[in-house]
Amino acid sequence: ELKVEQNPLFLSMQEGKNYTIYCNYSTTSDRLYWYRQDPGKSLESLFVLLSNGAVKQEGRLMASLDTKARLSTLHITAAVHDLSATYFCAVVLTSYGKLTFGQGTILTVHP
Amino acid sequence: GAGVSQSPSNKVTEKGKDVELRCDPISGHTALYWYRQSLGQGLEFLIYFQGNSAPDKSGLPSDRFSAERTGGSVSTLTIQRTQQEDSAVYLCASSPRILAAMQYFGPGTRLTVL
């Protein structure tokens, strides 16, 4: 059974600081997604990582994938309040895109 | 273009009643997924449709849950004899084909069973 674990589950950051959210998964996969969820809202796609060594960047967020280590990271650079949200990673094992999600990381950025 | 839409946005029902949740995927998207988000279980896969057929129903929690898709478009998730543990947000997602780069999620239906 595929298990996807994120850490930390709660992250309180000061504006301007850097931090990394980790996503470990238990079974080989070369397809990983990162989503953002604001309170009471649905999931917004951030990144799709499709191969070992893939790196994607958008604004202050950068995601990477190491399929050999079964690890993805979401790095936050110079955090701002607008980044406060819950971040999920999700791994695809099947041939048809069924997502298995991590527990989510609740990020709060303080002034 | 329009995104994935779901209705109703909120549903409050009494234990034992049946409910129907609707998902309108993005036009032309052949793959459709239902997920459930609850405090205790996080985000869980329920069922996958390719066209009108459902090759994977493995996530449906019990035989009280069923889903169908018609015309390769709209999907309905039906929960019979609702229980309090069915309370959750039910999310629908679609993608243009299997293993497409992106799954697009709808706003969800928040179900509360009293």
Side-chain angles (χ1 to χ4, degrees):
Chain A
E1 180 190 350
L2 172 62
K3 292 190 187 303
V4 182
E5 294 188 347
Q6 290 179 233
N7 75 84
L9 300 183
F10 300 91
L11 179 51
S12 181
M13 298 177 62
Q14 273 193 308
E15 281 189 331
K17 299 291 188 184
N18 305 333
Y19 211 83
T20 300
I21 299 171
Y22 297 89
C23 175
N24 289 90
Y25 52 97
S26 61
T27 306
T28 301
S29 171
D30 59 1
R31 182 175 292 260
L32 188 140
Y33 297 72
W34 283 96
Y35 287 91
R36 168 183 171 143
Q37 186 175 41
D38 292 294
K41 304 291 186 182
S42 190
L43 297 170
E44 174 191 352
S45 299
L46 293 176
F47 301 108
V48 180
L49 302 168
L50 299 178
S51 61
N52 186 41
V55 177
K56 296 273 186 78
Q57 181 162 7
E58 179 76 31
R60 301 174 187 275
L61 300 178
M62 183 174 71
S64 65
L65 178 62
D66 181 344
T67 59
K68 293 178 182 177
R70 300 176 189 167
L71 171 69
S72 179
T73 60
L74 181 66
H75 187 73
I76 303 154
T77 302
V80 293
H81 179 70
D82 285 353
L83 290 179
S84 298
T86 300
Y87 293 85
F88 291 93
C89 64
V91 176
V92 169
L93 255 196
T94 63
S95 62
Y96 50 85
K98 168 183 169 182
L99 296 175
T100 300
F101 285 87
Q103 310 98 308
T105 297
I106 300 175
L107 171 65
T108 306
V109 181
H110 299 284
Chain B
V4 178
S5 61
Q6 293 185 245
S7 60
S9 55
N10 279 285
K11 177 72 177 178
V12 180
T13 190
E14 293 180 347
K15 178 181 170 181
K17 301 284 190 184
D18 298 351
V19 295
E20 284 189 352
L21 313 180
R22 176 185 168 109
C23 171
D24 278 276
I26 294 171
S27 178
H29 281 198
T30 59
L32 186 148
Y33 310 81
W34 283 96
Y35 296 87
R36 178 168 78 169
Q37 185 172 27
S38 59
L39 280 176
Q41 302 299 321
L43 273 155
E44 309 171 278
F45 166 84
L46 296 179
I47 187 169
Y48 153 70
F49 285 92
Q50 180 60 33
N52 290 338
S53 64
D56 186 354
K57 309 178 184 180
S58 63
L60 295 178
S62 74
D63 58 9
R64 296 185 295 104
F65 287 72
S66 63
E68 65 174 12
R69 188 178 184 196
T70 55
S73 181
V74 171
S75 176
T76 303
L77 178 68
T78 302
I79 309 173
Q80 295 179 310
R81 305 181 302 282
T82 51
Q83 304 294 312
Q84 288 183 332
E85 61 263 27
D86 300 334
S87 296
V89 176
Y90 290 82
L91 293 165
C92 175
S94 71
S95 65
R97 59 191 180 281
I98 62 172
L99 280 187
M102 201 71 77
Q103 288 186 27
Y104 298 87
F105 280 80
T109 294
R110 181 175 298 277
L111 175 66
T112 304
V113 182
L114 301 176

